[in-house]
Amino acid sequence: MFNKRSRIKELLGTDRTGYEAVVMGWVRTFRNNQFIALNDGSTNNNLQVVVELGQYDESILKRITTGASLKVTGEVVPSLGKGQKVELKASSLEIIGDSDPEKFPLQPKKHSLEFLREIAHLRFRTNTFGSVFRVRHSLAFAIHQFFNEKGFVYLNTPIITASDAEGAGEMFKVTTLELGTPPKNEDGSIDFKEDFFGRATNLTVSGQLEGELAAMALADVYTFGPTFRAENSNTARHLAEFWMIEPEMAFYDLEDNMMLAEEFIKYIISYALTNNADDLNFLAQRLEEEEKQKPQNERSEMGLIEKLEFVTNNNFERLTYTEAIDILRESNHNKKKKFQYQITEWGVDLQSEHERYLVEKHFKKPVILTNYPKQIKAFYMRQNDDGKTVAAMDILAPGIGEIVGGSQREERLDKLVSRMNEMNISTDELDWYLDTRRFGSCPHAGFGLGFERMVQFVTGMTNIRDVIPFPRFPKNAEF
Ligand code: ATP
Ligand code: MN
């Protein structure tokens, strides 16, 4: 067996010394032909490996370069150096993979995030991305654990779908037809009968509608899968391919939905705080240094850890869309025309600048906005008695804006059908969806959490492209 090794995190996690260990990892630095900082991805803390002077030929020492992979056997001994309790005194050392220092793009110095994005295949080897992806993993695990503890069923909804009526965003088409010469109908339109599925298909923008079908039998379900939006938004919070968590619950109203979403967010953040302390401390420090580059008035008032603890320890502010519009309209910010989009009247969709004003300037905590105008929300949201609003809820987070979008769903068949007709959504195409309202319909609700926005929030990374291993965005599908 090749891989009988100890994780560096385990070695560094105790004071225990005087035993033999085998470690494998990648060289971060090699000083004085004597001290190797070795990293194996289990933690940002490197293991100091000490090679005695004269123990190896010059020819071997020359190959211990940044990026090379090594297997080292040795005794774990107390460390005299600062910053670590133990180190490894090498008794044998094998170079598993060389790394030409002239060509390896990562040098032991600070690289910009933009540069690292261009070499995303190597950026895992930096402290920042090591931490980000370990935290991302923990959050994913915590999400499954949260729902499992609550008795939810994990549901996999289709990635290729034929429904095009969700209106959640621009879609990517999926086809096996020849691009140049697709078969045509008599009227000149493309004849999808010849296509793989015999009809037009696309990549899913949301698993919600299918989630609702399952919730009408399994009661509490959630999805956690990839979603795709061909929206041309070059922002720090939009990707063309992102992961979404979509719980859907029978016998839930808007209030139940809000309570679940808040509990859920607090749970996964607490999980990371408890289980990723080292990584979060590292990221907090990274963020603090990044903030120092900004002018005073743009810096955040709280550090990363402080912000996360604050969110887990305080109730989210709840208010209606209408109340939010009043606050925004009356704000000095609006009066002094500091918003790019002025708030003039009820009914307008909120831009991210407005959302951020509410959470960062006005309430200084996460906010749940409810009861939006029906014109700016999807057809399936439950219509309120006022005839103007629907039972929607968005959760807005500091630094990110919208992190959750959800609603109580319209369970009344007649109301749903009339709204679909108003919005020109084909009831024929969604006949299967309407069946849920025909047979044992019940109040139900759900929401979607954008996973990368959550990872951004917890890691403090400014750009969403830096919290997914290989980001997809306009004009970029590398790796
Ligand atoms: P936004 O207004 O920010 O574009 P949205 O209203 O389009 O969001 P929904 O359709 O409600 O978002 O999707 C549910 C959740 O998915 C959002 O709350 C957000 O967390 C996330 N999300 C939406 N679009 C993207 C995207 N392009 N990249 C990453 N996450 C996204
Ligand atoms: Mn959007």
Side-chain angles (χ1 to χ4, degrees):
M1 196 170 65
F2 180 70
N3 193 342
K4 198 162 189 292
R5 66 190 176 100
S6 299
R7 288 251 153 85
I8 287 175
K9 185 176 178 175
E10 284 151 30
L11 295 190
L12 296 180
T14 92
D15 293 350
R16 203 159 74 85
T17 53
Y19 62 101
E20 196 189 70
V22 181
V23 294
M24 298 181 206
W26 294 267
V27 176
R28 284 288 171 85
T29 57
F30 185 33
R31 282 189 298 123
N32 301 346
N33 270 348
Q34 221 184 339
F35 303 107
I36 305 169
L38 195 73
N39 188 283
D40 71 355
S42 58
T43 163
N44 273 348
N45 300 317
N46 301 322
L47 177 68
Q48 171 149 292
V49 174
V50 185
V51 278
E52 266 170 46
L53 289 171
Q55 194 178 2
Y56 294 101
D57 292 354
E58 187 61 24
S59 63
I60 294 280
L61 295 178
K62 262 185 17 210
R63 292 170 58 202
I64 304 176
T65 54
T66 299
S69 62
L70 304 185
K71 172 178 180 178
V72 189
T73 308
E75 191 188 345
V76 179
V77 296
S79 177
L80 302 176
K82 267 191 281 182
Q84 70 260 328
K85 285 177 275 188
V86 304
E87 62 190 26
L88 192 72
K89 195 160 158 266
S91 56
S92 84
L93 183 151
E94 184 189 329
I95 292 164
I96 301 177
D98 287 283
S99 173
D100 182 344
E102 301 292 316
K103 296 191 179 132
F104 187 55
L106 287 172
Q107 297 305 317
K109 63 159 198 171
K110 229 178 157 48
H111 294 289
S112 75
L113 294 173
E114 289 75 15
F115 169 73
L116 292 173
R117 224 171 279 149
E118 285 167 19
I119 51 161
H121 58 303
L122 294 172
R123 66 179 178 169
F124 298 107
R125 298 203 194 182
T126 63
N127 283 339
T128 298
F129 288 94
S131 288
V132 165
F133 292 118
R134 279 188 298 269
V135 171
R136 183 179 164 112
H137 158 78
S138 271
L139 291 170
F141 182 80
I143 287 165
H144 286 299
Q145 184 166 285
F146 174 83
F147 287 119
N148 187 52
E149 281 171 4
K150 289 205 170 290
F152 279 57
V153 172
Y154 173 37
L155 188 77
N156 300 114
T157 49
I159 289 167
I160 301 176
T161 74
S163 68
D164 59 357
E166 296 164 36
E170 292 293 311
M171 294 178 299
F172 288 102
K173 296 184 176 68
V174 175
T175 181
T176 54
L177 295 177
E178 287 296 325
L179 282 183
T181 51
K184 297 274 173 72
N185 295 313
E186 276 173 13
D187 64 2
S189 61
I190 293 172
D191 180 8
F192 282 104
K193 282 194 204 66
E194 307 251 326
D195 204 349
F196 189 89
F197 296 108
R199 58 189 297 179
T201 52
N202 48 268
L203 293 178
T204 185
V205 292
S206 157
Q208 182 203 315
L209 300 191
E210 291 91 349
E212 282 186 60
L213 309 180
M216 287 299 113
L218 298 163
D220 297 315
V221 302
Y222 72 104
T223 71
F224 187 167
T227 46
F228 307 86
R229 301 203 181 166
E231 47 194 11
N232 199 0
S233 16
N234 261 305
T235 76
R237 20 174 241 120
H238 287 92
L239 289 165
E241 175 180 301
F242 65 100
W243 289 67
M244 190 143 60
I245 298 98
E246 294 183 280
E248 200 63 43
M249 297 75 63
F251 316 113
Y252 257 60
D253 65 11
L254 190 66
E255 170 80 17
D256 298 319
N257 203 21
M258 284 193 274
M259 287 188 1
L260 182 78
E262 183 169 340
E263 186 188 344
F264 169 58
I265 289 171
K266 289 176 171 172
Y267 180 98
I268 61 178
I269 293 176
S270 301
Y271 185 91
L273 281 169
T274 310
N275 293 281
N276 296 78
D278 277 356
D279 286 322
L280 290 178
N281 282 326
F282 174 83
L283 290 165
Q285 206 166 348
R286 196 204 68 81
L287 186 63
E288 205 178 299
E289 277 159 33
E290 191 182 273
E291 293 264 304
K292 281 189 196 141
Q293 315 295 319
K294 293 186 190 166
Q296 193 85 37
N297 64 337
E298 282 175 29
R299 293 183 201 164
S300 19
E301 286 166 30
M302 287 185 208
L304 181 65
I305 307 284
E306 212 186 339
K307 175 188 84 175
L308 296 175
E309 283 171 350
F310 179 83
V311 168
T312 58
N313 293 333
N314 287 281
N315 291 333
F316 295 4
E317 190 71 36
R318 296 182 187 188
L319 70 159
T320 63
Y321 164 90
T322 305
E323 288 164 335
I325 285 288
D326 287 343
I327 291 171
L328 290 167
R329 192 168 36 201
E330 296 310 314
S331 67
N332 278 333
H333 219 75
N334 197 49
K335 288 179 180 157
K336 289 189 184 150
K337 301 203 173 1
K338 282 199 195 151
F339 288 127
Q340 198 187 337
Y341 295 88
Q342 283 269 109
I343 296 283
T344 49
E345 59 187 21
W346 191 93
V348 294
D349 204 355
L350 298 182
Q351 303 293 325
S352 129
E353 57 175 345
H354 307 127
E355 298 175 342
R356 294 186 60 169
Y357 178 86
L358 288 172
V359 283
E360 288 160 28
K361 297 270 179 326
H362 191 84
F363 291 109
K364 298 185 192 289
K365 51 156 61 170
V367 168
I368 312 185
L369 282 187
T370 56
N371 300 316
Y372 282 72
K374 64 179 181 188
Q375 310 89 272
I376 58 171
K377 289 290 181 187
F379 74 92
Y380 48 73
M381 298 193 179
R382 194 174 196 279
Q383 297 158 48
N384 289 328
D385 293 340
D386 62 10
K388 289 180 357 193
T389 61
V390 288
M393 61 156 208
D394 279 5
I395 301 186
L396 314 178
I400 312 274
E402 179 182 333
I403 192 161
V404 161
S407 68
Q408 184 174 341
R409 317 305 188 192
E410 181 56 80
E411 83 282 13
R412 298 161 296 186
L413 183 65
D414 55 334
K415 297 251 184 205
L416 182 58
V417 167
S418 70
R419 188 68 188 137
M420 288 170 80
N421 290 336
E422 272 169 31
M423 293 175 77
N424 276 324
I425 291 165
S426 163
T427 49
D428 283 347
E429 246 176 68
L430 287 180
D431 198 54
W432 49 269
Y433 179 69
L434 295 174
D435 265 359
T436 53
R437 276 62 169 177
R438 293 190 181 111
F439 309 115
S441 188
C442 70
H444 63 287
F447 62 85
L449 171 88
F451 186 48
E452 284 73 20
R453 296 222 182 139
M454 191 67 211
V455 181
Q456 260 189 295
F457 184 72
V458 176
T459 58
M461 298 298 284
T462 317
N463 196 313
I464 197 165
R465 296 170 188 179
D466 296 330
V467 298
I468 188 165
F470 301 105
R472 299 289 179 250
F473 52 91
K475 301 282 174 283
N476 189 293
E478 200 153 357
F479 309 108

